[in-house]
Amino acid sequence: MTDTRGSQGQPYGGQAEYTGALPGERQPQQQAQPYHPPQAYPEPPQGAARKPRTGARTTPRTRKARLRVAKADPWSVMKVSFLLSIALGICTVVASAVLWMVMDAMGVFSTVGGTISEATGSNESNGFDLQSFLSLPRVLMFTSIIAVIDVVLATALATLGAFIYNLSAGFVGGVELTLAEDE
């Protein structure tokens, strides 16, 4: 067996030279050389010179990944579709209120109501009163009922769609997507 620790002198009782290191420690090197890591690539031949980069690339580099949607969680689909259909229902109620106010300000209800009451009226009665039938509270109530029905149906259909997608994805593998990222 070869001793790689260098000369240790006599450890206990002899006239050993003091080196500053304890017995068993590595001896300091005489001349410290700079560390040169091994090269990952061999050096090019002497005649070939490496060309410097001139700046930006001419073609952008694109990373692509092919992914497959194997399953849609029905519970998360139900939660998201419920929130989106509530937002759609609120937008529907607000849009119908704004549309009713604009049409009332333009005088559409009074003009059309006058024409309808003349057409349906007789000498004894005034006819059909469109303005009282299409009042704002009645229109908003009807729109709210439609919005609630829409929330229930949209949530149920989206959840049912997630179940059907999971069944069909089990047979055919799901939808494959290719995602790209420009650098």
Side-chain angles (χ1 to χ4, degrees), residues 62-73:
T62 303
R63 291 191 313 173
K64 291 184 179 180
R66 290 180 57 99
L67 300 174
R68 184 170 50 99
V69 181
K71 182 183 178 194
D73 185 30

Side-chain angles (χ1 to χ4, degrees), residues 15-98:
Q15 294 293 335
E17 207 177 293
Y18 178 70
T19 59
L22 295 173
E25 285 186 348
R26 181 184 284 177
Q27 296 292 325
Q29 296 179 353
Q30 299 292 333
Q31 293 178 352
Q33 297 291 329
Y35 175 71
H36 295 288
Q39 298 297 320
Y41 302 102
E43 291 191 25
Q46 294 291 351
R50 186 171 174 223
K51 295 181 183 179
R53 287 193 155 177
T54 58
R57 298 179 188 155
T58 56
T59 58
R61 187 173 160 206
T62 303
R63 291 191 313 173
K64 291 184 179 180
R66 290 180 57 99
L67 300 174
R68 184 170 50 99
V69 181
K71 182 183 178 194
D73 185 30
W75 178 250
S76 64
V77 169
M78 185 182 78
K79 289 188 295 186
V80 169
S81 65
F82 178 70
L83 290 177
L84 290 177
S85 60
I86 282 180
L88 182 66
I90 291 172
C91 290
T92 303
V93 171
V94 169
S96 65
V98 169

Side-chain angles (χ1 to χ4, degrees), residues 10 22 40-41 52 55 76 93 115 120 126 141 143 145 149 167 177:
Q10 295 183 10
L22 295 173
Y41 302 102
S76 64
V93 171
T115 306
T120 59
N126 291 335
M141 185 181 65
T143 306
I145 291 170
I149 292 171
L167 287 174
L177 302 172

